């Protein structure tokens, strides 16, 4: 089929609000590690797709899937060592007391289950979420995702959802520490309009304390707090130091549980740690994982404590038909093997530091760049029309992404104002790829 034929078929057969990337859509036919190839044989550097975590079509992952598919693919109602082996390997990557795991088929399914666990354990309903957050596509997860319920077509905030500001130290109320939080990747960069608030984390956490006080006065109490360890849809945010520690303290004092959504940040992506929450020196009560742990194969996981799992074991069976199936577990084991054998966490830290340095060097030369932030291979470049007013440059961000596509580099945009360039490549993305991306981005800007 030609590109026009495929596009016409999508318009005819697929729901109109299923989006497609770029003004000139890319007709992809093949992937290999950090590269994608179109129908004409052109190679693209993939700086966008974090789901194929260890690389598109990684041969070890593909081989593991094929071997297990040829032998058996069935659910968890039967004994099979893959489930036991994978659960042991996965929980071993997490700190105590996170030792009980539930396997499902997606990050959305995992976040839905995490909320059920929190409610079963606390016997409460109310939940605190970050503004601009997105946690999945089910009805309940849309209800807890301000990015959706406050956006086009959204129905607004449900009464049981309590929204607190995202701790954005570039654009938010308390500013100045985003780029100093990980100083081992370079000195702080003072931008126009930025203060130097070393207590930003605690100040943003105070909003959670105030929300809990409002709940108490209304006769309610929280089941918990959920946040991405590095908010992605909110604009590739790196949380200020001390934020999660203070928030978790407030929430636990009120009897709630703390949920870390690690769908975007797990398995070494942030470079410095295997999980994003570790960068904040905290241990959640529930951790949510999604498709990157299966390199794009539909797998998700929820890991929690013995105590919370016991509360959930209330007589109602939990079952996910494809969750923890033999093939998914074989793939999950292969992904963990590749991460360890190819030292991809250390690779992400090294390459990410190099790319961040290249991008930050562009700030003085490019007034359009307001902020560069990130950790490992989780990077955001915020574009603004004015560094004092922080007027978002959404149109320009879209233009940049489409120009990069024409130059053979794929990235995306995100953030509440759609003005943040989102760079989250597969983990094999290397220094040479980073140099091409940075040089081309500088030229386009």
């Amino acid at each position: 089929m030609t590109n026009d034929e495929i596009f016409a078929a999508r318009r005819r057969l697929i729901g109109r609000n299923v989006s497609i990337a770029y003004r000139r859509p890319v007709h992809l036919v093949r992937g290999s590690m950090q590269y994608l190839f179109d129908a004409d044989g052109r190679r693209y550097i993939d700086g966008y797709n974090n789901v194929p975590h260890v690389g598109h079509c990684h041969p070890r992952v593909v081989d593991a899937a094929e071997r297990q598919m040829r032998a058996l693919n069935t659910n968890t109602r039967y004994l099979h060592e893959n489930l036991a082996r994978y659960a042991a390997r996965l929980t071993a990557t997490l700190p105590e007391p996170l030792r009980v795991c539930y396997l499902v088929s997606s990050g959305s399914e995992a976040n839905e289950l995490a909320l059920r666990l929190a409610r079963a354990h606390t016997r409460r309903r109310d939940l605190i979420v970050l503004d601009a957050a997105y946690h999945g596509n089910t009805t309940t997860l849309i209800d807890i995702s301000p990015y959706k319920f406050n956006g086009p077509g959204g129905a607004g905030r449900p009464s049981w959802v309590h929204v607190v500001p995202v701790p954005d130290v570039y654009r938010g109320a308390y500013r100045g520490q985003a780029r100093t939080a990980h100083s081992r990747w370079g000195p702080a960069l003072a931008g126009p309009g930025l203060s130097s608030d070393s207590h930003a984390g605690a100040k943003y956490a105070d909003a959670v304390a105030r929300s809990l006080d409002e709940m108490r006065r209304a006769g309610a109490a929280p089941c918990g707090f959920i946040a991405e360890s590095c908010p992605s849809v909110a604009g590739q945010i790196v949380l200020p130091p001390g934020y999660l520690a203070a928030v978790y303290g407030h929430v636990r004092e009120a009897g709630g549980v703390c949920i870390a959504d690690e769908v975007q940040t797990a398995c070494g992506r942030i470079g410095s740690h295997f999980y994003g929450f570790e960068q904040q020196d905290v241990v959640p009560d529930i951790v949510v994982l999604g498709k990157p742990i299966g390199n794009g194969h539909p797998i998700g996981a929820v890991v929690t404590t013995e105590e919370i799992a016991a509360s959930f074991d209330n007589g109602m069976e939990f079952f996910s038909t494809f969750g923890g199936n033999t093939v998914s577990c074989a793939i999950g084991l292969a992904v963990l093997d590749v991460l360890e054998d190819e030292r991809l966490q250390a690779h992400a830290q090294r390459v990410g530091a190099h790319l961040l340095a290249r991008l930050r060097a562009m700030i003085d030369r490019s007034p359009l760049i307001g902020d560069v932030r990130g950790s490992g291979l989780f990077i955001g470049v915020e574009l603004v029309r004015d560094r004092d007013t922080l007027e978002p440059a959404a149109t320009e961000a879209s233009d940049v992404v489409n120009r990069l596509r024409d130059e053979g580099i794929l990235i995306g945009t995100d953030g509440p104002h759609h003005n943040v360039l989102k760079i989250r490549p597969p983990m094999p993305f290397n220094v040479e790829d980073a140099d091409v991306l940075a040089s081309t981005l500088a030229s386009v800007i």
Side-chain angles (χ1 to χ4, degrees):
M1 299 171 72
T2 67
N3 290 7
D4 289 343
E5 288 171 337
I6 296 171
F7 185 75
R10 282 181 63 121
R11 294 284 290 174
R12 186 174 71 253
L13 301 168
I14 305 298
R16 294 292 179 92
N17 56 351
V18 177
S19 64
I20 188 167
Y22 309 108
R23 292 169 192 156
R24 289 197 304 121
V26 187
H27 179 185
L28 295 174
V29 297
R30 186 166 67 87
S32 178
M33 306 307 281
Q34 70 270 39
Y35 305 115
L36 291 165
F37 299 83
D38 69 14
D40 297 320
R42 184 181 188 185
R43 190 188 79 168
Y44 295 81
I45 295 174
D46 184 1
Y48 178 72
N49 289 291
N50 65 309
V51 171
H53 188 66
V54 299
H56 292 280
C57 304
H58 193 292
R60 290 179 65 181
V61 177
V62 173
D63 288 347
E66 181 183 7
R67 283 196 307 272
Q68 187 55 52
M69 267 189 189
R70 290 184 183 279
L72 176 69
N73 186 17
T74 191
N75 62 59
T76 54
R77 286 201 169 107
Y78 310 100
L79 291 179
H80 196 279
E81 68 178 75
N82 278 7
L83 179 63
R85 290 176 59 223
Y86 183 55
R89 286 281 301 279
L90 184 63
T91 54
T93 66
L94 287 152
E96 295 279 3
L98 296 165
R99 285 296 177 267
V100 181
C101 121
Y102 301 85
L103 296 176
V104 291
S105 302
S106 71
S108 290
E109 196 180 340
N111 269 323
E112 186 86 25
L113 176 57
L115 187 54
R116 286 182 62 189
L117 288 166
R119 286 175 168 172
H121 185 64
T122 63
R123 300 181 183 275
R124 300 168 179 174
R125 177 179 172 82
D126 289 52
L127 184 72
I128 298 176
V129 303
L130 295 184
D131 198 6
Y134 173 70
H135 293 289
N137 61 17
T138 67
T139 299
T140 301
L141 297 183
I142 295 298
D143 282 346
I144 69 168
S145 298
Y147 184 77
K148 291 295 186 183
F149 67 63
N150 282 333
R157 179 183 67 86
S159 61
W160 52 271
V161 174
H162 306 267
V163 180
V164 297
V166 63
D168 180 348
V169 294
Y170 175 68
R171 184 173 287 278
Y174 311 110
R175 304 181 182 178
Q177 291 299 305
R179 287 163 290 175
T180 65
H182 310 294
S183 58
R184 57 185 168 282
W185 291 322
L189 297 174
L194 293 186
S195 66
S196 182
D197 192 342
S198 61
H199 302 290
K203 290 179 178 179
Y204 278 112
D206 285 344
V208 174
R210 291 193 294 272
S211 180
L212 291 166
D213 287 340
E214 290 169 6
M215 250 187 265
R216 286 190 203 97
R217 288 194 293 271
C223 77
F225 165 86
I226 185 171
E228 292 180 276
S229 299
C230 295
S232 180
V233 167
Q236 302 295 101
I237 303 296
V238 175
L239 301 177
Y243 175 72
L244 283 185
V247 168
Y248 283 16
H250 295 321
V251 172
R252 285 168 173 159
E253 185 179 4
V257 301
C258 301
I259 305 170
D261 182 339
E262 286 278 344
V263 171
Q264 307 286 355
T265 49
C267 299
R269 172 160 296 279
I270 66 165
S272 60
H273 298 81
F274 200 74
Y275 292 102
F277 66 79
E278 294 176 304
Q279 211 168 57
Q280 290 271 311
D281 294 319
V282 295
V283 178
D285 303 299
I286 303 171
V287 174
V288 173
L289 304 168
K291 285 179 285 292
I293 66 173
N295 213 45
H297 178 83
I299 182 174
V302 178
V303 186
T304 189
T305 66
E306 292 275 5
E307 183 182 9
I308 293 174
S311 297
F312 188 57
D313 185 15
N314 59 8
M316 179 186 291
E317 180 196 19
F318 175 76
F319 182 65
S320 170
T321 302
F322 291 104
N325 72 75
T326 51
V327 173
S328 293
C329 290
I331 289 172
L333 285 163
V335 168
L336 291 175
D337 287 341
V338 171
L339 282 164
E340 182 177 346
D341 295 346
E342 298 184 8
R343 296 175 53 81
L344 289 179
Q345 179 182 328
H347 175 83
Q349 184 171 18
R350 180 174 63 88
V351 177
H354 178 81
L355 181 55
L356 281 166
R358 288 289 309 268
L359 295 171
R360 285 171 175 161
M362 294 165 56
I363 291 179
D364 290 338
R365 305 193 303 270
S366 305
L368 189 62
I369 298 177
D371 189 37
V372 174
R373 52 185 176 256
S375 180
L377 293 177
F378 180 94
I379 294 173
V381 179
E382 181 154 358
L383 303 188
V384 294
R385 291 174 181 160
D386 186 297
R387 286 183 177 172
D388 292 318
T389 66
L390 305 187
E391 179 186 357
T395 301
E396 293 86 341
S398 177
D399 288 344
V400 166
V401 166
N402 280 281
R403 285 282 302 278
L404 286 174
R405 172 254 182 265
D406 293 340
E407 297 296 327
I409 299 169
L410 305 180
I411 66 169
T413 60
D414 231 327
H417 307 289
H418 309 288
N419 67 319
V420 179
L421 305 180
K422 177 168 59 176
I423 303 170
R424 293 177 322 188
M427 296 282 273
F429 181 90
N430 60 37
V431 168
E432 292 74 20
D433 302 317
D435 284 337
V436 173
L437 190 156
S439 297
T440 310
L441 177 60
S443 175
V444 166
I445 285 181

